[in-house]
Amino acid sequence: MSAAYVDLARAHAPLLMIMAPLIGAVLMLVTGTARVSWLVACAVAAAGAYVAMDFAAIVFGGYPQPIAEVGVSLFVDGVGVFAAALIAVAAAFVVSAVGASLKDAGDAASPLALSLMLCIAVGWIGALMARDLIAMIAAVETAWLASTGLVMLNSQRDRAALNGALRMLSWGGVGAAFMLVGAGLVARATGSFAIDVLPLAHIRMPNVAAAGAALIVIGLAVKGGVAPLHAWIAAALGRLGTTYALAIGALGVLGALSVLTRFSAYAIAAPEIGGSISAALAVLGSASVIIGSVQAVGARNLLRLTAYAGASQAGCVLLSVALGSPAGFAAALMQLVAFVAAALALYGGAAAGRVQSLEMLDGYGQRAPLASAAITVGALSLMGAPLTIGFLARWRLVEAGVGAGWWWAAGLVVIASLAGVFYGGRLVERMYFRRANIAYAGDGGVWRVALGPVLIVAIVAIAVGLAPSVLLNAAAKASLMLTGLAA
Amino acid sequence: MVIVAPLSVEFVLVAAGVSLLMIGAVATLMSGNVIKRLAGLLVCGAGAIASLAALGAGDGALIIGVALLFVYAVLGVALVVRLQEGYGAIEAPEIDAADADNDTQERVS
Amino acid sequence: MTPEIALFCVLGAPVLQALLVMLVPKPPGLRDLIHIGFSLFAAICAAYLVVAVYHHETAYIVLARPLPNVDLAFEIDPLGSMMAAVLTGLGVLHAVHAAGVARAKQERAPSRLLAFIALAMAGVTAVAFSANLFSLFVAYQALALAAFPLVAHRGDDEARPAARAFLATLLASSIGLFLPAMIWTYAISGTLDFRVGGVLAGRVDALTANVLLVLYVMGIAMAAIPPMHRWLPASSFGPFPALVTIQALAVLPAGGIGVLKVVTFVFGPGMAEAALAAQLLIVLVGVGMIVAALIALSKQDIRERLAYSCMAQSLAVVMGALLSLQPGQFAPAGLFAAALQIIALSCAAATLLMAAGTTAAITGRTKVSDYAGLGRVMPWTFAGFAIASASMIGMPPFAGAWAKLWLITAAAGSGLVWAAGLAAAAAILTFTHLGPLAASALAARAPTDAFKRPDGASILLAAPVILAAAATLSLLVSANALAEFLAPIWTGSAAP
């Protein structure tokens, strides 16, 4: 009897991955107190993560499961499954980490903040499962507007969040408009809004389709914090504080980059427009690596430094996708894992001590050992230190790039790693070789342990570089499954 | 001639929509005044919807576009009010300057 | 005990040593016992591995498989086992000496100091036993990260920028130069494994070989090749036990071992395609040796003087390795000269730095001008200092002489007589900055107010210096045996 329910759940897994956090988001509005709503949110997010991981294990384990047709236009492909599982797991840990800082938002705002975080996860997972471009855009904007709302909510603690929200609204809105027009152009050229039709359709107007795809890429790149379209990120994250930065900087950017990877994979597979999209992604990716690295080296705020380092990582993702080969897509998925691990480590480590400026890191190694360990490991991953997931992801990119004759991609990876040495080394030096010059500002009390899981997971995820075969296999299989999973 | 004429009308409508979008985008990203930014955003969104309509997108797409525009407008208005309450100003340079001052004060302390 | 277990122990024991030393900071006696005991255990395991290699035994362990064709693997071979045995053997003496200095100088955070010394020794042992380029790269980076806290140990305004320069130079060069070279090698050969005769042999044209050689040699900045040598003078701000680790036992030797392994197993002896870049690099290295020796002469602080002196000796290692790329029958002579020079450098530098550390701990003196006559009140310490100086200069019968002899033989045999001239000039300049110093210490009138500590140097401080100095005589009797032992790395046949 229970096996039948399990099979039923598995058949509806993609829908459940979207519905679970959505239901949770609604429940937040009625649960009342902060702690209760947090517990419910953790349970819901954990359930969603479990469903997502189970589904991914089944798909990549070679046991394809029929997916029920439910009247909602879902299209599940390899990249979508991989990235959705990643987002769901990240969301579970981000939501759990919020427990350490519920006092910040206050009893009234906490349930709303948790609801918005779950909406962020819903939006990005929905975009990864969407069949057509309009549904994808709607889901993307759901996530983006939830992110903007979350930033606005933080203005109760620091009014600078309003400035960040203003920039998110401005840039995000323009990006949304670009994506809508882009979808229209693609549909006009291919005859359909469906994403999976792109590689197969006879595109009568390749220039129109290419322009449309490029507009969609730009819109998603804005949301992904890809330089030079990332003007919103410094203001949004710089003074955000505590665990909200985890939701925006880690979860939000991961979602955008995942959707960008998925869409670009289809666009590049279309013979008429693939070359131009690939070139555009290569240019954008290169620019993001360089600009992000330079800005990270000069940053004086830890949250902004992480955001700029994320822009550099995002550039590596775009370069991987631009290769247009299964090896490139697999490398892009590995880059996403490396990105979210490093982001969780750095933002989580900062949240433990409410660290914003770099000066606040002085002596952090003694005040908060686990958090400093997480930041150290995150910094090592950004440097591309061997045996970290960051190194592995970059190696895969270089391998794929060299295989395609893109030697300059290897050069950009080296630049990103060199920059990582400078800004990562600075963090480690401050934490372990300077005396604290301010009092520790972290949250006290037993709820502080809620940050523990996200830090431990980040450290473990980065250390996956030691034995990554499962992850590598999953990424390789995902990159080959662009034709989708049959119903 | 018969084939060309509809294409030309469509092209002109799309071009107009895209122009509106670009004007709105520039206003959104370059204006110093927050209300002008919001207005620019609405113009940008309207241009996108107009372009969608000109390209023959279905009702679903247009409804989604209008819904998004509405949400952006509501959020934008709320933001303008909050900015006025929080900073006492709605000029972006003044807001940026106030934040920069706070950043410096925090670093010094 | 099997070779695999011994290999695992020699790599893992220092890591465990570091953990235990951090966990057991008090009582100091127990901490020092742990530190010395584990160093001794690692040295015994390394010696066992030398015997195992001598008896044609093999060992290959894989710690991780991060990429499909690439293992994090370590194996025993004549070169690696010999280097590890020498370094861990000296490491035991250093462990005793470091414990003594930490007590005498009331060193800040002694547990942290000893722990990172142990981790650095683990790093250099891993470099010595690396089975492929990837493992070498990982061990190299791990060593740089482990040695960084040693430079930053004092935590003051001098130490911090020095530590930053140290880490930035080593990591940036390895990521910016060594890593691309590694990737390029992988793209050409499809493997990163070390191979006797060279993995690139017969697969590359002259341009590729020359560019790769420059990338590798410059990328292994631990060998202190100019302009990648900034980290070495920067490191001289650390405490004396840290200096011994960095300049004598771990970082600098790791650079020499890395260059030697790359030249031997990636390019192969006598690789004519890389001869041009090799000659240009020999010029750079030769000039670097002379300039380093001259700069050493200008330095009045003993730490800075010895840093530049060690740099000159390290560059001799690189010169030997590069000479082996010249086509002809003298290619193996260059490899042998480089191997001997690493051994000689480690023994002599360890002795000099430990002697300087003892002097600083007992008398508080670090200026060269204050060394006059100290040999009369610290005879054992300065006897060791003088012997090590003679070795560094290349005076027979000390280890340095044999290394220089083979270096000159390799240079002359390859037709690069000017390289021999550069090496000889550097030796003369080494004499100028070490010879009079040692002589003045032994011959000048004894100072009346020498000792900061009323009881003088303890056995912990003096004995390691003398024993390390005695090690500089080792090559007098073992040079031939060493040549036979190392022969397989250039002939490919089994060890005798």
Side-chain angles (χ1 to χ4, degrees):
Chain A
M1 182 80 168
S2 58
Y5 283 120
V6 167
D7 285 340
L8 186 66
R10 283 180 170 157
H12 289 81
L15 191 61
L16 278 175
M17 280 157 60
I18 299 169
M19 292 307 297
L22 191 60
I23 291 167
V26 171
L27 279 175
M28 292 302 104
L29 302 176
V30 299
T31 42
T33 61
R35 297 282 175 215
V36 171
S37 58
W38 173 67
L39 288 168
V40 173
C42 286
V44 164
Y50 178 79
V51 169
M53 288 295 289
D54 178 69
F55 186 56
I58 287 170
V59 166
F60 300 131
Y63 307 106
Q65 181 90 7
I67 299 164
E69 285 283 344
V70 294
V72 179
S73 60
L74 296 180
F75 182 76
V76 182
D77 55 45
V79 173
V81 172
F82 188 100
L86 196 57
I87 292 172
V89 170
F93 283 105
V94 167
V95 165
S96 73
V98 168
S101 59
L102 287 174
K103 285 188 304 210
D104 265 359
D107 236 29
S110 295
L112 189 53
L114 288 163
S115 177
L116 288 170
M117 285 186 199
L118 289 170
C119 285
I120 292 171
V122 167
W124 293 121
I125 293 174
L128 285 167
M129 304 280 178
R131 170 155 242 135
D132 67 82
L133 290 172
I134 296 298
M136 184 188 84
I137 292 169
V140 166
E141 293 308 313
T142 301
W144 184 255
L145 290 166
S147 303
T148 309
L150 191 62
V151 173
M152 283 176 72
L153 209 56
N154 193 61
S155 64
Q156 293 171 345
R157 196 186 65 86
D158 186 347
R159 66 178 185 180
L162 293 172
N163 195 359
L166 174 65
R167 288 182 191 223
M168 286 182 77
L169 204 72
S170 308
W171 282 87
V174 169
F178 276 28
M179 284 199 290
L180 281 172
V181 172
L185 290 171
V186 168
R188 185 71 175 84
T190 61
S192 169
F193 277 108
I195 289 177
D196 56 315
V197 160
L198 257 178
L200 308 167
H202 172 58
I203 301 177
R204 293 163 292 168
M205 291 176 275
N207 290 340
V208 170
L215 287 172
I216 294 173
V217 164
I218 289 172
L220 289 170
V222 166
K223 290 163 167 72
V226 175
L229 304 170
H230 65 318
W232 61 272
I233 213 163
L237 285 173
R239 302 262 292 273
L240 195 57
T242 62
T243 45
Y244 290 14
L246 271 170
I248 308 293
L251 196 58
V253 173
L254 170 66
L257 291 176
S258 304
V259 176
L260 181 56
T261 301
R262 180 180 181 244
F263 173 75
S264 303
Y266 285 102
I268 290 177
E272 294 91 341
I273 64 171
S276 39
I277 297 300
S278 173
L281 285 169
V283 168
L284 195 55
S286 306
S288 195
V289 168
I290 295 170
I291 296 172
S293 298
V294 167
Q295 287 184 309
V297 168
R300 294 184 60 85
N301 175 301
L302 178 60
L303 301 178
R304 284 185 194 134
L305 184 151
T306 309
Y308 294 140
S312 177
Q313 296 253 62
C316 291
V317 174
L318 264 59
L319 285 174
S320 304
V321 177
L323 285 163
S325 60
F329 297 136
L333 294 174
M334 293 302 297
Q335 298 278 349
L336 290 175
V337 177
F339 162 77
V340 76
L344 286 178
L346 287 165
Y347 287 124
R354 299 192 200 175
V355 172
Q356 289 187 329
S357 67
L358 291 187
E359 286 80 11
M360 293 168 80
L361 274 180
D362 291 357
Y364 203 51
Q366 282 193 323
R367 292 178 288 146
L370 181 58
S372 335
I375 293 177
T376 302
V377 173
L380 287 174
S381 185
L382 288 172
M383 281 183 213
L387 305 181
T388 63
I389 189 74
F391 174 82
L392 184 65
R394 285 182 186 165
W395 181 280
R396 288 310 244 186
L397 166 56
V398 168
E399 218 181 348
V402 166
W406 285 21
W407 284 94
W408 51 269
L412 286 169
V413 168
V414 169
I415 288 173
S417 297
L418 281 174
V421 168
F422 284 104
Y423 58 75
R426 226 168 10 142
L427 299 182
V428 172
E429 190 226 317
R430 280 190 177 270
M431 287 191 297
Y432 294 107
F433 297 99
R434 293 198 187 197
R435 286 208 172 84
N437 53 18
I438 54 155
Y440 178 60
D443 296 297
V446 68
W447 293 103
R448 197 166 54 138
V449 301
L451 267 172
V454 77
L455 298 175
I456 292 168
V457 160
I459 292 170
V460 168
I462 287 166
V464 158
L466 269 167
S469 51
V470 170
L471 207 56
L472 285 172
N473 285 339
K477 284 183 180 164
S479 67
L480 293 170
M481 283 180 179
L482 276 178
T483 49
L485 306 177
Chain B
M1 282 299 280
V2 172
I3 296 168
V4 167
L7 282 175
S8 295
V9 168
E10 182 192 25
F11 179 79
V12 166
L13 288 172
V14 171
V18 170
S19 305
L20 211 58
L21 183 153
M22 293 310 296
I23 292 166
V26 169
T28 305
L29 299 177
M30 300 297 197
S31 279
N33 185 286
V34 176
I35 293 177
K36 285 181 185 170
R37 282 193 182 190
L38 183 59
L41 190 59
L42 296 176
V43 168
C44 184
I49 293 168
S51 305
L52 265 183
L55 286 164
D59 294 339
L62 293 174
I63 291 169
I64 296 284
V66 170
L68 284 176
L69 189 62
F70 177 73
V71 175
Y72 269 96
V74 166
L75 264 180
V77 168
L79 198 53
V80 167
V81 170
R82 294 292 300 277
L83 280 167
Q84 175 63 38
E85 288 171 357
Y87 288 89
I90 52 168
E91 295 293 328
E94 288 177 29
I95 294 168
D96 289 341
D99 283 344
D101 280 344
N102 283 346
D103 272 344
T104 312
Q105 279 170 18
E106 275 187 17
R107 219 174 289 136
V108 166
S109 64
Chain C
M1 170 90 73
T2 63
E4 281 83 5
I5 294 173
L7 181 57
F8 199 79
C9 288
V10 84
L11 293 170
V15 178
L16 190 57
Q17 174 185 354
L19 275 168
L20 285 174
V21 162
M22 288 296 285
L23 289 171
V24 188
K26 287 182 168 53
L30 181 58
R31 174 199 70 209
D32 295 340
L33 198 62
I34 291 171
H35 185 64
I36 296 167
F38 271 85
S39 300
L40 189 60
F41 176 66
I44 291 169
C45 291
Y48 176 89
L49 289 172
V50 169
V51 173
V53 170
Y54 185 78
H55 288 112
H56 312 297
E57 290 182 64
T58 58
Y60 185 91
I61 60 173
V62 177
L63 292 186
R65 192 157 271 143
L67 295 161
N69 287 340
V70 179
D71 294 340
L72 180 65
F74 300 93
E75 68 177 346
I76 59 174
D77 68 327
L79 178 64
S81 56
M82 177 51 56
M83 294 300 150
V86 169
L87 295 172
T88 51
L90 289 169
V92 178
L93 301 177
H94 174 46
V96 174
H97 186 262
V101 168
R103 283 161 184 265
K105 292 203 76 177
Q106 305 278 307
E107 197 66 59
R108 186 173 158 253
S111 294
R112 189 177 74 187
L113 181 64
L114 296 179
F116 281 105
I117 285 173
L119 287 175
M121 291 307 295
V124 69
T125 320
V127 167
F129 286 121
S130 54
N132 53 48
L133 275 170
F134 178 73
S135 307
L136 177 63
F137 180 70
V138 172
Y140 183 96
Q141 298 239 305
L143 176 55
L145 291 169
F148 161 70
L150 294 175
V151 181
H153 184 78
R154 295 231 155 98
D156 54 24
D157 290 335
E158 259 186 347
R160 275 200 298 273
R164 249 177 266 144
F166 178 87
L167 194 65
T169 311
L170 292 180
L171 288 187
S173 57
S174 68
I175 291 170
L177 299 171
F178 187 96
L179 182 61
M182 197 167 80
I183 293 166
W184 198 348
T185 304
Y186 185 69
I188 292 169
S189 63
T191 180
L192 292 175
D193 291 337
F194 287 140
R195 209 166 280 169
V196 174
V199 78
L200 291 175
R203 291 178 198 249
V204 289
D205 55 72
L207 178 64
T208 307
N210 285 310
V211 173
L212 273 173
L213 182 64
V214 171
L215 287 175
Y216 273 121
V217 170
M218 290 300 187
I220 304 177
M222 283 184 185
I225 298 139
M228 304 300 182
H229 67 287
R230 267 190 71 215
W231 64 269
L232 188 50
S235 71
S236 56
F237 290 100
F240 274 97
L243 296 185
V244 177
T245 302
I246 292 168
Q247 294 172 14
L249 297 185
V251 181
L252 210 51
I257 295 169
V259 170
L260 194 49
K261 286 192 107 148
V262 164
V263 165
T264 308
F265 300 121
V266 177
F267 289 88
M271 191 191 213
E273 290 88 342
L276 174 62
Q279 288 184 23
L280 292 172
L281 287 168
I282 289 171
V283 172
L284 176 66
V285 159
V287 170
M289 285 165 68
I290 291 170
V291 172
L294 280 171
I295 294 175
L297 185 60
S298 72
K299 295 295 177 186
Q300 293 307 306
D301 188 305
I302 188 67
R303 293 167 294 186
E304 290 176 295
R305 181 172 287 205
L306 290 178
Y308 280 101
S309 191
C310 290
M311 177 179 162
Q313 300 302 313
S314 175
L315 292 177
V317 174
V318 179
M319 181 183 275
L322 292 170
L323 283 169
S324 74
L325 288 172
Q326 305 306 307
Q329 61 180 351
F330 281 88
L335 293 178
F336 187 54
L340 286 186
Q341 180 64 20
I342 295 174
I343 296 171
L345 163 65
S346 300
C347 294
T351 309
L352 284 169
L353 287 161
M354 285 195 289
T358 300
T359 308
I362 302 309
T363 68
R365 295 172 185 222
T366 55
K367 293 283 172 230
V368 164
S369 52
D370 295 336
Y371 268 44
L374 279 181
R376 290 183 182 271
V377 293
M378 297 171 66
W380 290 106
T381 303
F382 278 89
F385 190 97
I387 291 170
S389 298
S391 178
M392 290 281 252
I393 293 163
M395 290 167 62
F398 304 107
W402 302 103
K404 302 277 188 311
L405 178 67
W406 276 101
L407 194 64
I408 290 169
T409 305
S414 305
L416 303 180
V417 180
W418 49 266
L422 288 171
I428 293 167
L429 289 168
T430 303
F431 173 80
T432 62
H433 70 248
L434 283 180
L437 174 61
S440 154
L442 289 171
R445 199 182 312 169
T448 49
D449 60 341
F451 294 115
K452 218 170 55 170
R453 284 166 58 95
D455 53 349
S458 72
I459 187 77
L460 288 180
L461 294 175
V465 176
I466 280 299
L467 290 172
T472 65
L473 285 165
S474 60
L475 287 182
L476 175 65
V477 296
S478 62
N480 281 340
L482 210 53
E484 286 177 26
F485 183 79
L486 291 174
I489 66 172
W490 52 76
T491 62
S493 56

